[in-house]
Amino acid sequence: MGSRAHYVVKADGSWKRRYTHWGAHSMELDLLAGPNAATRFAQGQQSCDRWLDELECEAAALIDHDERRLLWHSHCYEDVAYRAAVLAVMAPTWPGWRIEWAYGGLYDILDALGEPLHGRFRDRSSFQDDLRAPVRRTAGPSERDDELRGLRRLVEKFDAHQEVDEATQSISLLLHVVGALTSTAHQAGLETQVASDNAFAHRPMDLTDEEKVAVHAAFEAVRNKHSGS
């Protein structure tokens, strides 16, 4: 159970690897506010001494301050319009940075760091190359509607993420169930032992008011561009 992801922050020629057990499905939301907020968030995640296998790693991001480059991938590639909205909003929130999609997943992160390949996949698959092919869509009102749909979904998810992210919801539900089962067992005269560790640690977003305003300004700029206003 989990939504596993790696964050890597590189600066002054060295890098540090971080791990979040619950952050893969919300990675684009945690990156959206720009390099300072994303770095602060990444550094708040759990330190780790090994890489996940590629099948375990559902998302990954390399925040490279030396090259001013963000290399990342996550689940949002599954919705073309949504990913397009994410990348469009990142353009103004990451000024002066190269925003690059890691089509090879963790493979590309390791390659950028000069790390040896490991795990189940040691070669790039044809599927990864297929993802690079541009999506062909007919220009017109339907395309603009699709782009605006992706943006609306992004705005809704970003605002909801500031209140409570999916990880916190999942953990809250799980702990509620564990608590209920433990209470029932105690009432029946049974002894219980619940093992807990930092697998549940997932630092929530801590954006400043200024950072939130900047993200919403980027939303509005992208919306105006697509609506033609």
Side-chain angles (χ1 to χ4, degrees):
M1 183 178 180
S3 178
R4 301 171 181 85
H6 274 308
Y7 282 91
V8 182
V9 177
K10 182 181 178 184
D12 299 324
S14 63
W15 53 268
K16 292 185 178 180
R17 173 180 48 216
R18 302 283 181 169
Y19 165 78
T20 170
H21 194 78
W22 295 101
H25 281 88
S26 59
M27 174 168 280
E28 73 277 7
L29 305 176
D30 295 326
L31 293 173
L32 205 60
N36 292 336
T39 298
R40 188 171 69 243
F41 177 81
Q43 291 174 337
Q45 304 310 305
Q46 178 184 344
S47 297
C48 57
D49 58 5
R50 72 172 185 88
W51 294 104
L52 294 167
D53 284 340
E54 283 82 349
L55 284 181
E56 297 177 298
C57 188
E58 301 175 59
L62 168 60
I63 306 171
D64 189 338
H65 287 266
D66 294 338
E67 297 187 16
R68 296 177 67 83
R69 176 195 189 196
L70 171 65
L71 178 65
W72 69 292
H73 79 98
S74 76
H75 289 281
C76 71
Y77 77 85
E78 297 170 352
D79 184 332
V80 174
Y82 179 75
R83 186 180 70 161
V86 171
L87 296 176
V89 171
M90 281 183 168
T93 60
W94 289 73
W97 283 63
R98 287 184 291 141
I99 310 298
E100 299 180 359
W101 187 259
Y103 289 93
L106 187 58
Y107 178 108
D108 286 355
I109 304 293
L110 295 173
D111 186 56
L113 294 170
E115 284 282 280
L117 299 182
H118 74 292
R120 297 177 178 88
F121 301 111
R122 297 180 182 274
D123 297 298
R124 186 186 301 276
S125 70
S126 58
F127 168 74
Q128 292 160 352
D129 290 328
D130 289 343
L131 284 175
R132 295 180 181 272
V135 177
R136 298 185 182 278
R137 292 184 291 176
T138 302
S142 61
E143 180 182 355
R144 289 194 295 271
D145 290 345
D146 199 36
E147 292 168 342
L148 288 171
R149 175 191 61 78
L151 180 62
R152 284 194 298 270
R153 183 181 175 218
L154 176 59
V155 173
E156 291 171 0
K157 290 189 67 173
F158 178 80
D159 287 341
H161 191 56
Q162 308 314 305
E163 301 297 329
V164 56
D165 61 22
E166 294 177 8
T168 305
Q169 293 177 6
S170 300
I171 295 169
S172 177
L173 176 61
L174 179 59
L175 293 179
H176 177 76
V177 172
V178 170
L181 292 175
T182 301
S183 177
T184 301
H186 287 170
Q187 291 175 7
L190 301 175
E191 293 186 2
T192 62
Q193 182 176 4
V194 178
S196 62
D197 58 27
N198 57 9
F200 293 113
H202 180 81
R203 182 180 177 182
M205 291 291 289
D206 59 350
L207 296 183
T208 65
D209 290 340
E210 291 78 10
E211 288 167 340
K212 293 176 185 177
V213 168
V215 173
H216 276 275
F219 288 154
E220 189 64 23
V222 174
R223 182 183 295 110
N224 290 340
K225 178 181 178 181
H226 289 317
S227 62
S229 58

